[in-house]
Amino acid sequence: MTTVIDGKAAAASVVEAVSAAAEKLETLGHRRPGLAVVIVGNDPASHAYVGAKSRMAKQCGFNSIQHTLPEDTAQDDLMALVASLNADPEIDGILVQLPLPKHLDSDPVIQSILPEKDVDGLHVVNAGKLATGDMDTGLVSCTPAGAMILVRQIHGKDLSGLNALVIGRSNLFGKPMAQLLLAANATVTVGHSRSRDLPALARQADILVAAVGRPEMVKADWVKPGATVIDVGINRIDAPERGEGKFRLVGDVAFAECKPVAAAISPVPGGVGPMTIAMLMANTVIAAYRRAGQTAPKF
Amino acid sequence: MTTVIDGKAAAASVVEAVSAAAEKLETLGHRRPGLAVVIVGNDPASHAYVGAKSRMAKQCGFNSIQHTLPEDTAQDDLMALVASLNADPEIDGILVQLPLPKHLDSDPVIQSILPEKDVDGLHVVNAGKLATGDMDTGLVSCTPAGAMILVRQIHGKDLSGLNALVIGRSNLFGKPMAQLLLAANATVTVGHSRSRDLPALARQADILVAAVGRPEMVKADWVKPGATVIDVGINRIDAPERGEGKFRLVGDVAFAECKPVAAAISPVPGGVGPMTIAMLMANTVIAAYRRAGQTAPKF
């Protein structure tokens, strides 16, 4: 029987641990964790994400503050807001929702966040800490951190002797995921659009992680029998069978055909997706503990 | 015929380009590049390395300054020296020779160097820039940067479709080397002591890079016929045939038996070794150009 990895349940368990940790921080005499979420403009999808993050932060018992800036906000004004949040002693985590409107340059904004408040794990200092294996003072990008929790559910903490293939080499996911797998002692290969014979590479992987944004690219004959398959893709495809103009979400893995070959597989939706927001909460409580001079919980 | 990669010639060509770039910087109305080398204590090997670096810096036309501190230097005094070098407008690059005496903690010293003066490429900001593919503002660790030049001699700049295996996952070499190969479009695997069946992994590699510090570990039957083999190991082994107490240097690759299988192979000594110091000079001239507001040369 193939294990279908339940990302919702795993995320709920992280959120429960975060809430308990937030409560414990108050009993230790500190204030509750503070998360500032910044959104610029009117993109409906971004507002939906930000709304979900703010609700989840409240559910975790955080002090959650949302800053909504108009579409025509100037770069300097956004930078000034980040600077004030950096200086705010009540704020442990700062999240600037991406993408920003086109006239704004996101990288200087992200790099201006204090690394210890960068709960999205996007600052170059956090990338460098992850790249050099410093897990004790850095903050790890949320989606790979969440995907690793799913991998650990199946294989435990030590991946010695296991071959992992990460398909995709983005800064947001592929590269940090490879570093996390390597830190857990896996033998890690990063494949991508310029790789020769991805199916053959995939067939050698005990842990196959797909993050390319190509609907159902990974087929049954790519999967090593008994492998763990982690699907990070979220692709909208037309679903005329559901009615005109309707769509459905699929991953980068052809789930139905790969499931019988794998020993464990994460579905889309309901796999890695819910973990991202849970790990944002985890990073925020970690940042709050560190700021309070307390030993941060591990997730 | 197997190509034996001539690291001495490649290093000489880098040094020549560095010297020309340093001279050009003066003709552009700027001062020559300034490199500060800091050494603490009396370790003879460290003094030999530092001497070689200072000589090479002079050969490149740099303003080279060596600070020699006593064995019992306090952490604060070393940090204060680094701070003064950070503030010194004549200094473009700062190198603190490692290892430091045991009572000193090297990491805070290295992390206190301004990233733009960190010509050894060891600062977490430079690690993060490399990890996120920012080659335009960061400084890359010298040994992997040098090894990449040897790889490029054989394969050119674009490694699309080639499989690379890096054996070893150190912060100094294995991890940054993997990132450089990935940035050049190779499909990159990192193997290490916890990997299952390294020989089988190695046999799939078009580019095989060994950096583990185990004398002649890579045998002929590890090498894919026609592969490029880059040997980063420098191991001292006893050589009683040369007389009592004599030793010789060997790499991590059993050169004599691997050479007929490979299409190109770097020897030890005379392969990657000479590249490290050449890339230190390259990083220094790059840092000087950036500081002068000029477009830095590429190596």
Side-chain angles (χ1 to χ4, degrees), chain B residues 132-155:
Chain B
T132 55
D134 174 1
M135 308 293 177
D136 292 329
T137 72
L139 291 165
V140 179
S141 182
C142 301
T143 305
M148 267 313 280
I149 287 186
L150 302 187
V151 170
R152 283 211 302 265
Q153 275 196 355
I154 305 298
H155 295 282

Side-chain angles (χ1 to χ4, degrees), chain B residues 35 41 138 141 189 229:
Chain B
L35 174 64
S141 182
T189 301
V229 179

Side-chain angles (χ1 to χ4, degrees), chain A residues 94-210:
Chain A
I94 302 169
L95 168 84
V96 177
Q97 182 67 37
L98 301 178
L100 293 171
K102 282 186 185 147
H103 68 285
L104 295 173
D105 189 0
S106 61
D107 197 57
V109 177
I110 299 300
Q111 300 307 329
S112 76
I113 298 173
L114 279 179
E116 58 268 31
K117 293 192 178 190
D118 165 44
V119 285
D120 250 351
L122 300 180
H123 195 284
V124 68
V125 164
N126 284 318
K129 286 183 173 179
L130 177 59
T132 54
D134 173 1
M135 308 296 177
D136 292 332
T137 72
L139 291 164
V140 179
S141 183
C142 300
T143 305
M148 267 313 281
I149 288 187
L150 302 186
V151 170
R152 283 211 302 265
Q153 275 195 358
I154 304 298
H155 295 282
K157 282 188 178 178
D158 187 358
L159 308 179
S160 290
L162 297 175
N163 293 333
L165 174 69
V166 179
I167 310 178
R169 53 173 167 167
S170 68
N171 288 335
L172 268 175
F173 185 82
K175 289 174 184 172
M177 185 72 199
Q179 289 154 359
L180 288 168
L181 288 161
L182 185 62
N185 295 328
T187 301
V188 183
T189 302
V190 179
H192 46 78
S193 58
R194 306 295 188 84
S195 292
R196 184 180 65 205
D197 204 351
L198 275 176
L201 287 168
R203 278 190 290 274
Q204 299 180 43
D206 305 295
I207 300 167
L208 175 57
V209 183

Side-chain angles (χ1 to χ4, degrees), chain A residues 5-30:
Chain A
I5 299 169
D6 187 344
K8 280 186 197 169
S13 144
V14 168
V15 168
E16 200 176 317
V18 168
S19 304
E23 205 175 310
K24 191 180 155 207
L25 194 61
E26 278 198 285
T27 68
L28 290 170
H30 302 281

Side-chain angles (χ1 to χ4, degrees), chain B residues 68-283:
Chain B
T68 306
L69 302 181
E71 182 78 27
D72 63 353
T73 297
Q75 182 91 18
D76 285 352
D77 293 334
L78 179 54
M79 302 281 283
L81 173 60
V82 170
S84 76
L85 295 170
N86 279 339
D88 188 339
E90 302 287 312
I91 295 298
D92 301 297
I94 302 169
L95 168 85
V96 178
Q97 181 67 36
L98 301 178
L100 293 171
K102 282 186 183 149
H103 68 284
L104 294 172
D105 189 358
S106 61
D107 197 56
V109 177
I110 299 300
Q111 299 307 328
S112 76
I113 298 172
L114 279 181
E116 59 267 32
K117 293 192 177 189
D118 165 44
V119 284
D120 249 351
L122 300 179
H123 195 283
V124 68
V125 163
N126 284 319
K129 286 183 173 179
L130 178 58
T132 55
D134 174 1
M135 308 293 177
D136 292 329
T137 72
L139 291 165
V140 179
S141 182
C142 301
T143 305
M148 267 313 280
I149 287 186
L150 302 187
V151 170
R152 283 211 302 265
Q153 275 196 355
I154 305 298
H155 295 282
K157 281 189 177 178
D158 187 356
L159 308 179
S160 291
L162 297 175
N163 293 332
L165 174 68
V166 179
I167 310 179
R169 52 172 167 166
S170 68
N171 288 336
L172 268 175
F173 184 82
K175 289 174 182 174
M177 186 70 199
Q179 289 153 1
L180 288 169
L181 289 161
L182 184 62
N185 296 327
T187 300
V188 183
T189 301
V190 180
H192 46 78
S193 58
R194 306 297 187 84
S195 293
R196 184 182 67 204
D197 204 352
L198 275 177
L201 287 168
R203 278 189 291 274
Q204 299 179 44
D206 305 296
I207 300 168
L208 175 57
V209 184
V212 281
R214 292 179 57 184
E216 302 184 323
M217 180 180 77
V218 174
K219 307 295 184 195
D221 67 352
W222 293 39
V223 177
K224 178 179 174 176
T228 294
V229 179
I230 304 289
D231 190 351
V232 187
I234 300 180
N235 310 286
R236 269 167 78 137
I237 61 170
D238 293 334
E241 74 278 10
R242 296 188 177 181
E244 206 182 304
K246 295 283 181 182
F247 65 89
R248 61 193 179 95
L249 294 181
V250 299
D252 293 346
V253 175
F255 183 82
E257 62 178 84
C258 291
K259 186 183 157 201
V261 188
I265 186 166
S266 75
V268 175
V272 174
M275 293 304 290
T276 300
I277 190 165
M279 297 318 290
L280 175 67
M281 302 303 132
N283 277 345

